[in-house]
Amino acid sequence: MSKITIDTDTSRAHPNPAPGKRMTVPKIRSMKRGPGIAMEPLVMLTAYTTRMAQLLDKHCDMLLVGDSLGNVIYGLDSTVPVSLDMMIAHGAAVVRGSWHAQVTVDMPFGSYEQSPEQAFASAARILKETGASAVKLEGGEAMAETIHFLNSRGIPVIGHVGLTPQAINVLGSYRARGRDDAEADKVMRDAKAVADAGAFCLVIEGVMEEIASDITKAVPIPTIGIGASADCDGQVLVTEDMLGLFERVPRFVKKYHDLADQISDAVETYANEVRSNCFPREDQLYRAKK
């Protein structure tokens, strides 16, 4: 077999990371906060590309290859059209770009709902072809059997309750869940069912704050909030939202930067320099040595 040598001075794909040990599923599972338990909240962000994974990795406990890539990367109106092949391609890219964070890949709509056997086939493909260590799927009580099936066959699962974007055609809107007692009870039942089925972690999205707080106290696994509660055992945001790459974001997003404006300014400067023949200059050109 031929040996490939990578020029690390110019390679974008393979910078030299500091050596380290990747976060494991059991380690994440153990990071449940509670009375008398001094534990820092878990940090999770989404990642869809190798370069973004490289930039996020050392700061995060977990990287989520979310099906939100349908909206963020592909400009889709919802996550429903996202395919298993899309998730695998981006999941593999994120694993290649990380060495510290635990990587979880979303199971896209239609890849797991039919039966536990269908879910296993899809999840096994994800883990084999990406190198990720877990999958995430949406749904509560209805998915409990599937979560148990996967977990008992060696596939770690993160659950997802509350606002479940893959069900947008049933829900009708992205409004917060749990606004009445019946809906609040349903979210709580879903959360307990997911935990009882063997999920090692639980994303709670878009629910009334007190419900997320109650769920976090009620389940023995770490909860990751997004539009939920500061009481959750961790938090997740879509990276492009928190970096300010989009003008419109959900109300639960805090913009930590305004990269959209910075990118626009940089491109404007580049365009002006090209049109005025100021770029490229001598130090950007190759010349024959004299």
Side-chain angles (χ1 to χ4, degrees):
M1 182 180 292
S2 62
K3 195 171 183 179
I4 298 174
T5 301
I6 295 172
D7 180 358
T8 56
D9 289 335
T10 60
S11 174
R12 292 183 176 88
H14 299 280
N16 289 324
K21 187 176 181 180
R22 192 182 288 275
M23 293 285 283
T24 64
V25 165
K27 176 64 176 177
I28 298 297
R29 172 65 178 80
S30 72
M31 295 178 71
K32 175 71 179 179
R33 297 189 299 167
I37 302 175
M39 193 76 69
E40 287 186 344
L42 289 159
V43 178
M44 177 191 271
L45 283 170
T46 61
Y48 318 118
T49 65
T50 294
R51 183 54 180 156
M52 190 62 78
Q54 291 168 348
L55 295 173
L56 303 180
D57 186 56
K58 68 179 180 180
H59 305 290
C60 294
D61 302 300
M62 309 169 76
L63 293 177
L64 173 64
V65 187
D67 60 358
S68 49
L69 63 82
N71 313 101
V72 175
I73 302 294
Y74 292 96
L76 299 173
D77 291 332
S78 75
T79 61
V80 172
V82 173
S83 70
L84 190 60
D85 286 342
M86 290 162 68
M87 295 307 307
I88 288 172
H90 288 274
V94 169
V95 171
R96 286 194 295 269
S98 61
W99 56 268
H100 166 258
Q102 185 274 330
V103 178
T104 295
V105 178
D106 261 342
M107 298 188 71
F109 178 74
S111 70
Y112 62 93
E113 296 91 339
Q114 184 176 356
S115 67
E117 290 78 12
Q118 182 208 25
F120 179 82
S122 299
R125 242 197 98 192
I126 289 173
L127 297 195
K128 281 184 175 184
E129 296 182 33
T130 67
S133 61
V135 298
K136 181 173 77 65
L137 56 80
E138 295 182 8
E141 291 176 310
M143 287 295 110
E145 179 186 356
T146 294
I147 292 170
H148 176 74
F149 190 89
L150 295 179
N151 185 63
S152 65
R153 285 158 178 79
I155 298 180
V157 180
I158 294 180
H160 184 151
V161 301
L163 173 60
T164 49
Q166 291 178 10
I168 185 59
N169 289 320
V170 172
L171 299 176
S173 74
Y174 292 105
R175 72 174 180 83
R177 305 290 128 181
R179 293 177 181 272
D180 58 54
D181 290 343
E183 200 171 59
D185 289 343
K186 175 66 167 62
V187 178
M188 177 62 80
R189 291 197 311 272
D190 283 342
K192 289 181 176 179
V194 166
D196 291 344
F200 75 93
C201 195
L202 176 66
V203 170
I204 307 174
E205 179 174 0
V207 301
M208 306 304 286
E209 193 277 335
E210 60 271 19
I211 297 171
S213 181
D214 289 344
I215 289 172
T216 299
K217 296 171 186 174
V219 299
I221 59 176
T223 59
I224 307 293
I226 176 168
S229 171
D231 290 337
C232 290
D233 299 297
Q235 301 293 327
V236 62
L237 285 175
V238 171
T239 299
E240 285 76 4
D241 285 345
M242 58 85 72
L243 290 178
L245 280 170
F246 293 102
E247 290 76 20
R248 295 181 61 192
V249 295
R251 65 168 293 172
F252 56 75
V253 173
K254 177 180 177 179
K255 288 188 179 183
Y256 287 82
H257 227 301
D258 290 306
L259 287 192
D261 288 342
Q262 291 191 22
I263 291 171
S264 181
D265 289 346
V267 174
E268 181 182 15
T269 300
Y270 165 73
N272 289 338
E273 289 191 1
V274 170
R275 290 175 180 134
S276 63
N277 206 30
C278 292
F279 175 85
R281 289 303 194 191
E282 285 297 317
D283 55 346
Q284 285 100 37
L285 297 174
Y286 297 99
R287 301 286 192 186
K289 293 183 179 179
K290 294 180 181 180

